[in-house]
Amino acid sequence: MATPDWDQRIGRRLKLRDLHILSVVAHWGSMAKAATHLAMTQPAISESIANLESVLCVRLLDRGPRGVTPTIYAQVLLRRGHVVFDELHQGLKEIEFLARPTAGDVRVAAGDTMAAGLLPAAIDKLSLRYPAIVVRVAQASVERMDFRELRERTVDVALARVPRAFEEDDLDCEILFDDPHRVVVGAKSPWATRRKVSLAQMVNEPWLFASNQMIRELIEEAFKAHGLDVPREAVVGSSILMRNQLLATGRFVTVLPESVLRYNARQWALKALPVDLGVAARCVAVVTLKNRTVSPVAELFVQHVREAAREIASPFRPTKLVKADGVPIPAAASTPPRTTPNRRA
DNA sequence: CCCCAGCATGCATCCTTGCT
DNA sequence: AGCAAGGATGCATGCTGGGG
């Protein structure tokens, strides 16, 4: 609701142009440098900043002999302003989409395991139907679950592997399917032909660990759940490509999500062993920023991710599962996927 | 020497008002 | 509604001066 203060002090005098200039000055740490990059003169920059300071009645920049630094007031204004400009950017994309509904771009954050499974499947479907849409993928920190790229608004959506109970105040999380992990070896491995394998027998094998904490925790959890020592790390690295290459030698063991196995098992001659890890399955989810308008192209992308996810979530049993004690596990052991949870209406 | 602030001036554009 | 005139505003240039 517009207050008299808003009408007279803010609404009429606070300008997007000035906000933009402030952000450029803060970025370059100098009014002169900002002027160069904005193709303006330094006095015009100075005047613009002075106007903002006069409107808000606070000092926004500390002037020094070697440039300027933003004050705490400027930091707040820049943080909020970032959201304003992002919404405007999304608005422009929406207008572009209305004018040309089959083009545009979507920025996606995805970790290595997503890039080796669900993501290419979704992109393939999207690009077949909308060849003019550009998908920009950021190899992201989503495996660490800090969702930095989303929060900084440098991506539209993130594909991540999350615990079923995952919840963050500022994020919308749509669980697509359960993605249990499997103990995996190469086809050349002597373990590949064994019909019964227990985790205890594998403790001394050379294990490939992923760099991300989730896989490490999962392996530790599995071995501890069986009362076993955590196996020694032979190789630690996040690259799925490298892990596939090493598995192909037949000497190494690792755990991979079932969705990754679905797309890589044949190509890399990977074999899932009939071992029950005895840990709760992680879920594959689409994560977006709460209260942020998602562009129509991003919405289209998410629809195709859901479609690809439905195919992955359909029954895929590489081998019959056997518990550590050798007892077969019923096929329905895996919980059905939760498809449309806490997304906003 | 570098950077920023402030002033005067001139030009372009925008906004308001009054007239037809 | 369309047009013109005048004022307001924005911006660039050029200059001076202060501070570190």
Side-chain angles (χ1 to χ4, degrees):
Chain A
M1 211 29 138
T3 62
D5 186 57
W6 171 264
D7 286 339
Q8 286 162 27
R9 195 162 74 92
I10 312 293
R12 291 173 67 102
R13 292 178 61 199
L14 187 73
K15 298 177 190 117
L16 277 177
R17 173 185 165 277
D18 291 344
L19 265 181
H20 177 59
I21 289 174
L22 175 67
S23 75
V24 176
V25 171
H27 177 261
W28 289 101
S30 150
M31 293 198 195
K33 284 179 189 160
T36 305
H37 285 87
L38 290 168
M40 294 168 67
T41 59
Q42 176 271 319
I45 300 288
S46 176
E47 190 182 340
S48 167
I49 300 295
N51 175 54
L52 264 183
E53 291 180 329
S54 149
V55 169
L56 300 170
C57 303
V58 292
R59 193 78 163 162
L60 293 172
L61 297 173
D62 285 328
R63 280 79 166 167
R66 292 267 168 258
V68 296
T69 50
T71 63
I72 51 168
Y73 306 112
Q75 285 165 20
V76 170
L77 194 60
L78 287 167
R79 181 160 45 81
R80 299 287 186 176
H82 187 56
V83 176
V84 171
F85 284 116
D86 177 65
E87 281 295 317
L88 267 177
H89 183 70
Q90 298 290 80
L92 292 178
K93 282 169 86 171
E94 205 169 322
I95 290 169
E96 274 174 30
F97 180 81
L98 288 172
R100 206 172 153 223
T102 56
D105 70 341
V106 53
R107 299 161 299 167
V108 185
D112 219 48
T113 52
M114 290 296 164
L118 178 64
L119 180 60
I123 292 175
D124 182 42
K125 289 179 186 304
L126 181 72
S127 114
L128 275 173
R129 283 177 205 151
Y130 303 96
I133 287 180
V134 179
V135 183
R136 301 182 195 283
V137 181
Q139 282 290 84
S141 61
V142 289
E143 305 280 17
R144 292 199 304 273
M145 304 246 290
D146 63 1
F147 297 98
R148 184 170 49 79
E149 295 83 0
L150 255 189
R151 292 187 164 111
E152 289 174 356
R153 296 170 182 253
T154 55
V155 299
D156 300 300
V157 297
L159 296 183
R161 207 172 299 283
V162 299
R164 180 157 277 277
F166 179 79
E167 200 169 346
E168 295 267 337
D169 287 344
D170 58 339
L171 300 176
D172 273 325
C173 178
E174 176 181 347
I175 304 283
L176 296 173
F177 57 91
D178 283 334
D179 198 13
H181 285 75
R182 301 274 176 245
V183 178
V184 178
V185 294
K188 288 186 195 167
S189 166
W191 294 102
T193 49
R194 298 274 288 265
R195 299 180 71 178
K196 283 187 180 177
V197 185
S198 74
L199 215 49
Q201 292 172 300
M202 313 222 57
V203 173
N204 296 319
E205 292 301 304
W207 281 76
L208 304 175
F209 277 62
S211 307
N212 76 70
Q213 200 58 30
M214 185 186 283
I215 297 293
R216 180 177 302 274
E217 284 170 2
L218 195 134
I219 294 176
E220 286 177 5
E221 193 184 325
F223 276 84
K224 282 177 183 168
H226 288 93
L228 301 166
D229 290 336
V230 177
R232 177 184 67 85
E233 297 171 333
V235 182
V236 181
S238 63
S239 165
I240 286 281
L241 190 62
M242 181 193 73
R243 279 191 278 167
N244 286 348
Q245 291 266 20
L246 289 172
L247 287 172
T249 66
R251 295 203 302 112
F252 295 91
V253 186
T254 193
V255 295
L256 286 175
E258 208 170 86
S259 65
V260 172
L261 208 53
R262 171 181 279 267
Y263 287 100
N264 292 265
R266 185 174 298 172
Q267 190 183 350
W268 290 90
L270 304 179
K271 183 88 175 20
L273 299 183
V275 176
D276 175 29
L277 284 170
V279 297
R282 269 50 170 180
C283 305
V284 169
V286 174
V287 185
T288 51
L289 207 53
K290 220 172 245 183
N291 300 323
R292 181 191 187 202
T293 313
V294 177
S295 75
V297 178
E299 195 55 58
L300 262 183
F301 171 77
V302 172
Q303 283 171 21
H304 286 78
V305 170
R306 289 189 194 114
E307 199 177 308
R310 278 195 293 275
E311 289 174 11
I312 288 183
S314 63
F316 171 68
R317 291 285 169 267
T319 51
K320 192 165 68 175
L321 290 185
V322 180
K323 277 190 180 171
D325 54 11
V327 179
I329 297 171
S334 177
T335 46
R338 175 159 64 98
T339 47
T340 47
N342 49 348
R343 277 179 68 83
R344 65 182 175 283

